Amino acid sequence: MKEKHLEFWLSWNNNAEKLRLPVLPPKLSVKMGHTYHDIDLVSVGESTIIGEPQLKEYSFSSLWPEMYDPGLCDYVGFPSPEEFVATIERWKNTGWPIRFIVTGSKINTAATIRDFSYDWDGFDIEYSLSLKEYQFIHLESVKVNIVFQAPSGKWKPLPAQKSEKDTSKKKKGKRPDTKAAKVSSTKEKSSKEKLVDKYLARGKPKLK
């Protein structure tokens, strides 16, 4: 039987920083969920609508030793346990996903660090790490051309409206119509002349 040589790799920022686990985890747990919606239908009863598959979750536990042990470790020259913990915490706090790769398998995915816990005895670290698959979302901008059609016919400008402020000013300074005043004065004068002529036509009064 051919044996598989597995390597667990964690990397960040397109392999700008990466970690290889010195001790292989004894097992890797993978959780594959799915969304479901249960509904009640009249005359049918309960039914299920199958949704979309959920992102995969990975979890494993292992040991990060202080010193190299040929019967336990896969390679020489790995970082110290303190450096390993500091690196995981820093990656998690950047808000960026990491990449999780297991050579010899189909696991090669971007992931987010969901949970990280460890026990330290002053030398070696026993840790547990939980990851969740990360899906990149690409938003595309779409150009929309909106054509405005002018209505048929010609536009007629509205007559200029006078403001109430201007109207009130004109009302205060408005003078009477000169022509109307002249006519009124002429009529008044002609009536007076007729009275005078009528009085003179009577002649002088006779003295008794």
Side-chain angles (χ1 to χ4, degrees):
M1 182 178 178
K2 187 177 179 180
E3 295 183 359
K4 288 185 178 181
H5 179 69
L6 302 179
E7 295 179 2
F8 279 58
W9 286 89
L10 302 173
S11 62
W12 176 81
N13 193 18
N14 292 325
N15 286 329
E17 299 180 21
K18 53 186 177 180
L19 289 172
R20 179 186 171 188
L21 305 189
V23 179
L24 287 178
K27 64 179 180 178
L28 172 65
S29 298
V30 182
K31 179 181 178 182
M32 294 183 290
H34 212 97
T35 57
Y36 298 94
H37 302 281
D38 297 328
I39 58 175
D40 293 326
L41 300 176
V42 179
S43 303
V44 175
E46 187 179 21
S47 182
T48 299
I49 299 176
I50 301 176
E52 299 295 330
Q54 294 178 330
L55 299 175
K56 296 178 182 178
E57 298 181 21
Y58 305 93
S59 59
F60 56 87
S61 299
S62 186
L63 173 72
W64 198 285
E66 174 74 18
M67 304 293 293
Y68 171 75
D69 185 346
L72 187 65
C73 302
D74 269 7
Y75 68 99
V76 183
F78 48 84
S80 66
E82 293 85 350
E83 291 175 326
F84 166 66
V85 171
T87 301
I88 294 296
E89 289 182 350
R90 180 165 47 80
W91 288 358
K92 182 173 66 68
N93 294 333
T94 60
W96 293 4
I98 66 171
R99 181 157 293 276
F100 176 49
I101 300 175
V102 179
T103 61
S105 71
K106 295 182 179 180
I107 299 176
N108 184 346
T109 180
T112 54
I113 301 174
R114 293 304 178 99
D115 185 69
F116 176 62
S117 59
Y118 62 92
D119 294 323
W120 183 45
D121 61 1
F123 298 96
D124 302 333
I125 284 181
E126 295 180 0
Y127 66 92
S128 296
L129 185 63
S130 297
L131 308 173
K132 188 170 184 177
E133 185 181 8
Y134 180 82
Q135 182 177 2
F136 292 94
I137 300 175
H138 301 282
L139 300 177
E140 296 182 359
S141 59
V142 180
K143 293 183 179 180
V144 179
N145 296 325
I146 302 177
V147 180
F148 293 94
Q149 184 177 0
S152 58
K154 297 181 178 180
W155 289 96
K156 295 182 179 180
L158 295 174
Q161 296 181 353
K162 299 178 180 180
S163 62
E164 295 181 358
K165 187 175 181 181
D166 296 340
T167 305
S168 61
K169 285 184 178 180
K170 289 184 178 180
K171 284 184 178 179
K172 289 182 180 180
K174 187 177 180 181
R175 296 187 295 176
D177 190 356
T178 307
K179 185 176 180 182
K182 286 182 179 180
V183 172
S184 176
S185 177
T186 304
K187 288 184 178 180
E188 187 177 355
K189 183 178 180 181
S190 59
S191 61
K192 288 181 180 180
E193 289 179 350
K194 287 181 180 180
L195 291 174
V196 172
D197 294 341
K198 188 176 181 181
Y199 176 78
L200 294 176
R202 293 168 57 188
K204 295 181 180 181
K206 296 180 180 181
L207 298 174
K208 291 181 179 182

